[in-house]
Amino acid sequence: MALREKGTRIPPLRIQPLRRRLPGASARPGESGNPGSKGEALFTKSATLDDVDKLYAGRDFFVSVGKDGVVTRAANGKEVARSGLAGFAGGCILAVIGSSPDTGSLIWAQVTDKPAAGLEPASRSLSIVATDSKTHKERWRKPLVADTDEFAGCQYAQETTVTKNEKWLAYGEWVISLTDGTSRALGYGIRPRAVGNTIAVYDGVCANCLNGMDSVPFTDPATGRELFSSPEHDIIGSLSDVPGDFATSSDGSTLFLARRISGDPMSYALQSRSLTTGKVNWEITGTSYTGPASRKVTLVEKAGVVVIPDLAAVKGEVAPDVQKDLGVSMADGKKLWSLPGIDVCAANAAGVAVVANGQLVVIDPRTGKQISYTDERSDCGVSLGEYSYYSKDGALVRVLPSAE
């Protein structure tokens, strides 16, 4: 079944708050105290899921897919709706949009094969379907406009991206309206990527390899009109390595990108760029690391902080023994703090959850100072919005104070 491809099984839903008071925490969830104070930045295990192969996050809810069905869940893991897989036959979920289960939608692609009937040859069609996230009833269905016989199918589902305003989806060679499913095909081999509220268009491999492209145009998703273009090869490389995985502000207006700077020694930079004009707001140099750059940028937007690994201009790209993470101001790129040997899990205005020394730790996003920690957790898992993530053992871990 396409919905189960590339899934990872993790342990039926058992709602069970973790009652143990964690070191460094002054109160348990629900006890007295200012929910915005440092002492209240706790970890809470709110659920353990069973039969989950894939997870799809909305703004404050998510959808899980397993062998027994498709389940919509609130942010704390509580089940809201469940459907069998039969209703999604021949399809795969591309994205979950909306701020809550009451208003959200599951966007999925369905391939329909029609067998040959006498003189009529066999045919295949691909439709985009929107399903209500609370009732799982179909809202709209639209066949994709295609210039070729090439259908994206589920093999491109992992590369699907959605604009920050949740009005447009990029999938395969198409740009698709999430209002009614109307689509525009950009042509075989072209891979649009939603970045903020724009669509970046490239050839799917690199700018200098195919089609003679030497820059990446950022376009208006409604019309395809070019807004500006970026000549930097590193942005193109990031598109190829980590399709669409960019840190952008919640209003879709600003891109935060880790990029390479040529030279000897090789150095890197963190850049803030307007997605309206294409102009660079600020750039700081000296950040570098191995692997796709943009994947490692974490925004703590309500605190005005960007967190990024900092390896400080490594000669010959030989990494130092201990990697540091750097917290900088979103407004001007000013360095706020640095910490060695951490891995960022989830972030909100009250705290950033990281792994350090095999333990889960909450740090202050503005200062990098420790707020609380627990030795009961040691992994980051899958991020589900700004307040929660799923760990390797299938537990939903909430970083409090949350929106609950």
Side-chain angles (χ1 to χ4, degrees):
M1 180 80 187
L3 284 167
R4 285 168 49 80
E5 288 181 1
K6 299 182 181 179
T8 302
R9 295 299 305 278
I10 55 181
L13 176 63
R14 298 189 300 274
I15 304 296
Q16 46 180 11
L18 185 63
R19 296 300 184 185
R20 189 175 79 87
R21 188 170 300 183
L22 303 176
S26 62
R28 293 192 297 265
E31 293 183 341
S32 61
N34 178 6
S37 68
K38 291 183 179 180
E40 292 298 302
L42 311 179
F43 303 102
T44 296
K45 177 183 172 185
S46 62
T48 299
L49 297 189
D50 191 16
D51 182 29
V52 175
D53 289 339
K54 294 290 294 182
L55 294 168
Y56 304 85
R59 291 184 206 166
D60 200 34
F61 73 104
F62 63 97
V63 173
S64 63
V65 178
K67 63 181 178 61
D68 292 330
V70 177
V71 184
T72 299
R73 302 183 188 276
N76 64 1
K78 183 179 180 180
E79 183 173 319
V80 175
R82 177 183 291 265
S83 296
L85 294 175
F88 295 87
C92 50
I93 294 177
L94 303 178
V96 173
I97 62 173
S99 58
S100 73
D102 294 337
T103 60
S105 295
L106 284 65
I107 308 299
W108 56 290
Q110 185 176 45
V111 176
T112 302
D113 288 308
K114 185 178 180 180
L119 297 176
E120 185 179 340
S123 63
R124 166 173 288 186
S125 62
L126 178 62
S127 297
I128 300 296
V129 186
T131 299
D132 185 288
S133 58
K134 186 175 183 179
T135 65
H136 289 185
K137 292 182 179 180
E138 189 173 303
R139 284 182 166 168
W140 51 256
R141 173 186 296 266
K142 203 84 167 183
L144 281 177
V145 174
D147 291 339
T148 70
D149 292 332
E150 181 78 13
F151 290 94
C154 290
Q155 65 266 36
Y156 291 109
Q158 299 298 321
E159 299 182 9
T160 302
T161 52
V162 178
T163 57
K164 273 295 172 71
N165 57 18
E166 296 188 335
K167 292 182 178 180
W168 302 91
L169 178 142
Y171 164 61
E173 65 181 20
W174 294 279
V175 177
I176 302 163
S177 167
L178 290 176
T179 302
D180 59 9
T182 56
S183 60
R184 183 173 73 253
L186 302 187
Y188 179 76
I190 301 299
R191 293 288 176 262
R193 293 288 176 263
V195 182
N197 290 328
T198 70
I199 297 290
V201 181
Y202 80 121
D203 62 16
V205 181
C206 70
N208 301 322
C209 299
L210 300 174
N211 301 338
M213 293 176 67
D214 57 6
S215 65
V216 173
F218 288 75
T219 63
D220 181 340
T223 64
R225 178 177 64 87
E226 183 175 321
L227 302 173
F228 64 91
S229 64
S230 173
E232 287 92 342
H233 179 78
D234 52 273
I235 291 181
I236 298 149
S238 294
L239 280 167
S240 302
D241 294 336
V242 199
D245 195 357
F246 292 101
T248 58
S249 59
S250 58
D251 63 2
S253 66
T254 308
L255 167 67
F256 295 87
L257 178 76
R259 72 183 195 88
R260 297 186 300 272
I261 299 175
S262 59
D264 187 17
M266 180 69 73
S267 61
Y268 290 64
L270 175 64
Q271 179 187 96
S272 169
R273 177 183 293 228
S274 168
L275 286 172
T276 303
T277 65
K279 293 182 179 180
V280 175
N281 300 317
W282 52 260
E283 183 174 85
I284 56 173
T285 59
T287 60
S288 69
Y289 50 91
T290 57
S294 298
R295 183 182 299 234
K296 296 294 184 179
V297 179
T298 301
L299 294 186
V300 195
E301 191 167 8
K302 292 178 181 178
V305 176
V306 183
V307 182
I308 185 172
D310 176 14
L311 296 185
V314 182
K315 268 192 176 182
E317 297 193 344
V318 177
D321 293 336
V322 179
Q323 175 177 295
K324 292 184 178 181
D325 274 59
L326 182 71
V328 303
S329 167
M330 289 179 62
D332 54 15
K334 180 182 178 181
K335 180 179 175 180
L336 301 174
W337 52 265
S338 66
L339 288 172
I342 66 171
D343 192 7
V344 178
C345 301
N348 58 44
V352 180
V354 304
V355 168
N357 299 316
Q359 299 177 349
L360 200 57
V361 184
V362 164
I363 62 173
D364 186 294
R366 295 292 301 181
T367 66
K369 293 181 179 180
Q370 178 172 303
I371 298 174
S372 63
Y373 74 94
T374 176
D375 56 9
E376 292 187 346
R377 299 263 143 223
S378 61
D379 67 287
C380 279
V382 180
S383 178
L384 290 173
E386 66 175 334
Y387 292 106
S388 53
Y389 74 93
Y390 267 99
S391 65
K392 292 177 181 177
D393 62 1
L396 171 63
V397 179
R398 304 282 284 166
V399 182
L400 303 178
S402 73
E404 296 178 310

